Amino acid sequence: MREYLLIGGAGFIGSFLTEALNPKNVTVFDNFSMISHTDSTIRKRMSSNSNFVVGDVCSREDVDLLFANGMPRVIVHLAAETGTGRSLSNCTLNARVNALGLANLLDAMSELQEFPERIILTSTRAVYGEGPYYRPDSHEIIYPSQRTRESLEKENFEFEGLVPIAMRADAHFPKPVNIYGSTKLTQENMLTAWAGAYGVSTTIFRLQNVYGPEQSLSNPYTGILIHFIKQLIGGHQVEIYENGGITRDYVHVEDVARLLASGARSTGNGVYDCGSGKRVELWSVAKMLCEAHGADNPSNSAAFRFGDVRNACADISATQSDFGWIPRIALEDGILDLYCRTKAKFNR
């Protein structure tokens, strides 16, 4: 067992984090699910200098065998079942991977009475749900409830009279509106309670929309930007749901990996937000991709996906202050690079 153990470390974020921590210092534990890993990415991961252990965090036997090789100094827990829409129709899968998977890990350490110095958990902005808003006239902070299917069908997409506020862990409370966000919040609560009892330092990072090269092209839940690129390559016009106006915060995977590596090397406890700190309309991001492809501008549609939120953006001031971290990759540069690399993969 090496200094850093990455649970689910062969995936999109984990592969960049391995490089940021130095592969010689990393053990990777992953089940190599084919929805997240293609044959080529598996071969690439396995040929690196990392020490790979193939196993499933949902299998207590696999986890026990993993710790038979020793206890690392730091564990980074990346393994998760993702997909907002998918989570609503497959609650069991989300609960099994996100809650039971972490429980297996914690129980194995409790039984051994051997513990790492610290655990890093990658969580998600989905724990906030619709997030905080304020009324301009009174400055009262409001936490809207989940938008109903009936209101969405009537194209009532916005929260009239309210202005969205950037999400910040130490100032705003979570209120998830889908199963994925609910199980990730369960992860956070489980880890915090367990780590407090055993004196293990923890840092939780709530990630906004992470994008970049090496995202799986075969995973339907890999991210909206890959979906847009696939539409363009297929000769289709990019379609933006909810009549446009959806906002998100996009952060490049290399910037995320730098932050996670900093967290793994630090001390102390806390919950932090990871994003660019900039609220961007989805339509404008799609327009960048259309321009790169030489295609028409995106079209707006009244279609919607139940369980999605209207607005999302991180307040990263605490993250910057405590970790000395600043996102380096501009969205325009990252989007163009993602488009070129993804198109090249399709043309092979």
Side-chain angles (χ1 to χ4, degrees):
M1 181 65 69
R2 299 180 183 180
E3 182 178 11
Y4 301 103
L5 170 62
L6 309 190
I7 305 293
F12 172 46
I13 296 175
S15 60
F16 283 89
L17 179 56
T18 296
E19 293 302 318
L21 290 172
N22 187 343
K24 294 181 180 180
N25 299 328
V26 174
T27 297
V28 171
F29 180 75
D30 203 293
N31 67 354
F32 290 105
S33 165
M34 290 306 295
I35 196 170
S36 301
H37 309 282
T38 63
D39 289 337
S40 61
T41 58
I42 290 175
R43 288 194 297 271
K44 180 179 178 181
R45 306 289 192 268
M46 294 293 280
S47 65
S48 76
N49 291 325
S50 299
N51 178 27
F52 277 92
V53 179
V54 178
D56 193 334
V57 73
C58 294
S59 165
R60 178 59 189 274
E61 180 181 4
D62 288 353
V63 174
D64 286 342
L65 288 172
L66 171 67
F67 287 132
N69 296 321
M71 186 62 60
R73 187 178 68 82
V74 178
I75 294 175
V76 183
H77 190 76
L78 298 154
E81 178 62 30
T82 62
T84 300
R86 186 188 190 198
S87 74
L88 291 170
S89 60
N90 203 332
C91 302
T92 303
L93 181 61
N94 271 253
R96 185 172 69 87
V97 176
N98 297 343
L100 178 61
L102 178 61
N104 277 334
L105 185 69
L106 302 181
D107 282 350
M109 291 185 286
S110 297
E111 187 171 303
L112 285 171
Q113 285 296 292
E114 295 182 19
F115 310 102
E117 291 180 13
R118 62 187 296 97
I119 297 176
I120 308 297
L121 173 67
T122 53
S123 188
T124 170
R125 54 101 177 152
V127 302
Y128 291 109
E130 295 290 352
Y133 285 69
Y134 76 93
R135 296 188 188 279
D137 54 350
S138 65
H139 295 282
E140 177 187 8
I141 295 181
I142 304 292
Y143 291 85
S145 298
Q146 180 180 21
R147 297 175 296 171
T148 66
R149 190 176 296 276
E150 180 183 13
S151 67
L152 292 171
E153 288 174 346
K154 292 179 179 178
E155 301 182 30
N156 296 325
F157 300 124
E158 294 282 4
F159 297 101
E160 294 299 330
L162 300 179
V163 178
I165 302 173
M167 303 158 170
R168 178 166 165 162
D170 62 356
H172 305 126
F173 65 79
K175 191 179 178 181
V177 296
N178 56 58
I179 302 302
Y180 168 59
S182 298
T183 57
K184 291 298 289 184
L185 183 58
T186 297
Q187 269 192 335
E188 291 189 18
N189 292 335
M190 288 170 60
L191 178 59
T192 301
W194 179 91
Y198 287 107
V200 178
S201 296
T202 63
T203 303
I204 297 169
F205 291 106
R206 293 174 176 170
L207 310 183
Q208 294 282 325
N209 284 52
V210 184
Y211 76 98
E214 300 299 329
Q215 286 180 286
S216 172
L217 303 182
S218 59
N219 184 354
Y221 313 104
T222 197
I224 191 64
L225 302 185
I226 293 293
H227 174 67
F228 287 162
I229 295 172
K230 290 166 74 173
Q231 282 185 314
L232 289 168
I233 293 173
H236 305 290
Q237 186 176 23
V238 172
E239 180 184 33
I240 309 297
Y241 284 8
E242 296 191 20
N243 293 332
I246 296 171
T247 67
R248 292 291 185 266
D249 181 338
Y250 296 93
V251 58
H252 197 275
V253 65
E254 291 183 15
D255 287 324
V256 174
R258 283 194 302 105
L259 177 58
L260 295 178
S262 179
R265 295 176 178 129
S266 69
T267 59
N269 301 279
V271 183
Y272 294 90
D273 298 281
C274 175
S276 69
K278 299 177 181 179
R279 188 185 306 278
V280 182
E281 283 196 354
L282 184 55
W283 191 92
S284 66
V285 178
K287 185 174 183 292
M288 295 180 198
L289 292 171
C290 291
E291 289 175 347
H293 193 70
D296 293 337
N297 282 341
S299 64
N300 291 333
S301 166
F304 61 88
R305 188 173 66 167
F306 197 65
D308 273 354
V309 299
R310 181 67 173 179
N311 297 290
C313 180
D315 179 337
I316 59 174
S317 54
T319 311
Q320 291 175 305
S321 174
D322 288 4
F323 294 95
W325 172 82
I326 298 175
R328 295 174 179 169
I329 300 179
L331 181 60
E332 295 80 1
D333 296 335
I335 289 292
L336 180 59
D337 178 67
L338 177 65
Y339 168 78
C340 293
R341 290 177 184 243
T342 304
K343 184 179 179 182
K345 289 180 181 179
F346 273 100
N347 290 337
R348 286 175 186 168

